[in-house]
Amino acid sequence: MKIPSKVLACTLAMSAGSSYALIPTSTIRPSLTPLRQSGRPTFSNVQRRKQTHRPTFLQMSVMPQDKEKMNDAPFFAVEDTKEETVKSGRSSEIANELSSGKTLDDKGIVIDFASVKNTSSRAERALAEARKKYEARGTISSSSKGGGRLMGINDEVVAEVGYEIGYFINDFINEASGEDADTLVQNCGRYLRSKASMGTFPQSSNWSQGKGEDFSPEEIARFDRLLARAYEESGIVTSAFAKTFYLGTQVLPESAMKAIWAVYVWCRRTDEIVDAPRPEARDPNAEMLTDLSEWEIRLERLFDRGEVVDVLDLPLLDCKVKYPKLPITPFSDMIRGMLMDIPGLGQDRYDTWDELHLYCYRVAGTVGLMSMPVFGCAPGYTDDTAK
């Protein structure tokens, strides 16, 4: 599974006694060259090239498979064999999650899986244990492991974008005052929180009326420039990994366009935390679960208190300030979707459409729910109708 907000090629063929498997689909990705127009990054298609660091994406293709012809090979290796499929053992766990869904229509066709969580499942137990160990360690740091990079930014992301992500903050630091990057991020976060309406951050203890009275005009101007640069970098990351998605954002009003970039970058970083190789880790899965636990704690603190950790958190905080109805639920649910991909914790075979439905909601439907407060609903429609 790659970045959930990427449009996936889905073909559904259903027949009696069918099972479903994910198979790889080759894809050619265009190389884009950044240009500048009207203060926003734009891109032109100049060539097509074959990727060297990531040769294929796994796109979702749901193919009917006779159970007698499926084996215990990896989920992407569909072979013609008569061996019986050995499933991941998560069938009973996913059945419990499916039974917790809420019917949204009279016919029982549309199911809402928001916040569905089986706390006794292997995935939830593993994440909870990693969270407990992480919280016992102490405070959250602004950098992940490896060269001071931001969490969710790794060699692959840097190679795709072409430079180190987030390092632009050094251009805004007031070194004469002894300021460092963390102090600047926290001050900018405080400024953004001061602009929020009451109730946006229910656990915030330092909410103030949104007039920026605690900041000088010079500070406000600097914070606004830093935020604009963070949004710009979010757009560049979006364009590098989701080119058609990025082009679609170009037709949006500027505020909505930037908000969608912020949402995408959070999704991108989440995906990289789960999927990125960890060659130097003694226990890659344990390290990944610890990082994912930290990432979820960061998410909760941003939505509950308006807290930020690094410079790329600022656009998402600003998005929450501008769109107070932006819910945390789809973000948390996407993390559960990521867990469904982890060998030993997730499920690599889907016997029914309902099982696949849950996975699709978590890794793709959630992006629609993240975007809905930004796009809004057409006249005469409510959020529940759109959902």
Side-chain angles (χ1 to χ4, degrees):
M1 190 272 299
K2 289 300 161 191
I3 186 68
S5 57
K6 180 177 174 63
V7 177
L8 300 177
C10 261
T11 304
L12 177 64
M14 301 185 69
S15 58
S18 294
S19 291
Y20 307 102
L22 302 181
I23 63 174
T25 304
S26 299
T27 186
I28 299 176
R29 304 167 56 201
S31 173
L32 299 180
T33 299
L35 301 174
R36 298 277 183 167
Q37 291 181 2
S38 304
R40 68 170 66 175
T42 59
F43 295 78
S44 66
N45 241 330
V46 293
Q47 62 176 341
R48 289 185 178 271
R49 58 182 170 83
K50 187 175 182 180
Q51 298 296 311
T52 56
H53 59 282
R54 182 188 286 181
T56 56
F57 276 172
L58 290 179
Q59 294 181 322
M60 186 180 292
S61 180
V62 186
M63 304 294 290
Q65 301 287 330
D66 190 325
K67 290 183 179 181
E68 294 183 356
K69 292 186 178 181
M70 297 173 66
N71 66 356
D72 195 30
F75 70 94
F76 50 82
V78 179
E79 299 178 359
D80 189 5
T81 176
K82 293 186 178 181
E83 294 183 14
E84 187 73 16
T85 298
V86 180
K87 295 182 63 175
S88 66
R90 192 173 179 271
S91 297
S92 60
E93 295 178 354
I94 203 171
N96 290 336
E97 293 172 328
L98 291 173
S99 65
S100 300
K102 299 177 182 177
T103 302
L104 295 182
D105 64 336
D106 295 336
K107 298 180 180 180
I109 297 175
V110 182
I111 307 297
D112 180 10
F113 290 113
S115 298
V116 167
K117 189 185 303 184
N118 179 10
T119 56
S120 64
S121 70
R122 287 172 298 172
E124 286 295 338
R125 292 200 312 269
L127 188 62
E129 184 63 26
R131 183 185 183 116
K132 187 185 302 181
K133 291 179 180 178
Y134 174 78
E135 289 177 326
R137 274 178 14 196
T139 59
I140 292 177
S141 63
S142 60
S143 299
S144 61
K145 303 156 188 68
R149 283 177 176 166
L150 307 183
M151 179 168 281
I153 304 299
N154 51 47
D155 288 344
E156 183 177 286
V157 176
V158 172
E160 189 70 25
V161 174
Y163 60 86
E164 292 288 348
I165 306 299
Y167 280 28
F168 64 85
I169 193 172
N170 295 319
D171 298 333
F172 295 85
I173 295 173
N174 184 353
E175 295 181 351
S177 66
E179 183 179 61
D180 59 17
D182 287 342
T183 302
L184 175 55
V185 167
Q186 295 309 316
N187 286 338
C188 188
R190 189 164 60 93
Y191 163 63
L192 293 175
R193 287 194 298 273
S194 76
K195 299 167 66 176
S197 57
M198 184 176 291
T200 300
F201 303 110
Q203 296 183 16
S204 178
S205 59
N206 59 347
W207 180 88
S208 62
Q209 191 66 31
K211 298 184 182 299
E213 63 271 20
D214 295 332
F215 306 96
S216 69
E218 293 77 17
E219 286 178 311
I220 292 174
R222 184 165 66 114
F223 294 150
D224 286 342
R225 290 196 303 271
L226 175 62
L227 179 63
R229 183 66 183 85
Y231 268 123
E232 181 181 5
E233 188 124 309
S234 298
I236 291 170
V237 172
T238 304
S239 70
F241 284 93
K243 295 172 176 60
T244 54
F245 181 83
Y246 171 82
L247 291 174
T249 67
Q250 298 297 287
V251 302
L252 298 174
E254 185 172 359
S255 60
M257 174 188 70
K258 290 181 175 180
I260 296 301
W261 291 349
V263 167
Y264 179 90
V265 167
W266 185 89
C267 296
R268 174 80 258 163
R269 296 174 72 182
T270 307
D271 191 70
E272 292 297 337
I273 289 170
V274 175
D275 285 352
R278 299 169 183 267
E280 299 179 2
R282 294 180 61 183
D283 187 340
N285 269 355
E287 183 180 281
M288 179 276 298
L289 285 168
T290 299
D291 286 350
L292 195 61
S293 298
E294 175 180 345
W295 190 242
E296 185 170 39
I297 291 170
R298 286 175 56 167
L299 174 72
E300 292 165 358
R301 292 180 180 178
L302 189 149
F303 274 77
D304 291 341
R305 310 176 194 173
E307 290 185 6
V308 289
V309 176
D310 63 51
V311 70
L312 288 188
D313 290 341
L314 295 174
L316 187 60
L317 174 60
D318 186 59
C319 186
K320 177 63 177 174
V321 169
K322 291 177 178 175
Y323 304 95
K325 292 184 178 180
L326 182 70
I328 191 174
T329 299
F331 293 85
S332 298
D333 287 346
M334 176 175 281
I335 290 175
R336 268 71 206 166
M338 300 293 175
L339 289 173
M340 293 178 77
D341 278 339
I342 300 172
L345 296 179
Q347 179 149 333
D348 55 11
R349 299 286 192 215
Y350 295 90
D351 278 343
T352 67
W353 168 247
D354 285 339
E355 290 185 0
L356 191 60
H357 185 179
L358 176 63
Y359 176 78
C360 290
Y361 158 71
R362 284 176 168 171
V363 302
T366 49
V367 181
L369 297 181
M370 295 173 193
S371 305
M372 201 161 64
V374 177
F375 294 142
C377 297
Y381 292 88
T382 65
D383 287 353
D384 288 339
T385 305
K387 191 174 184 180

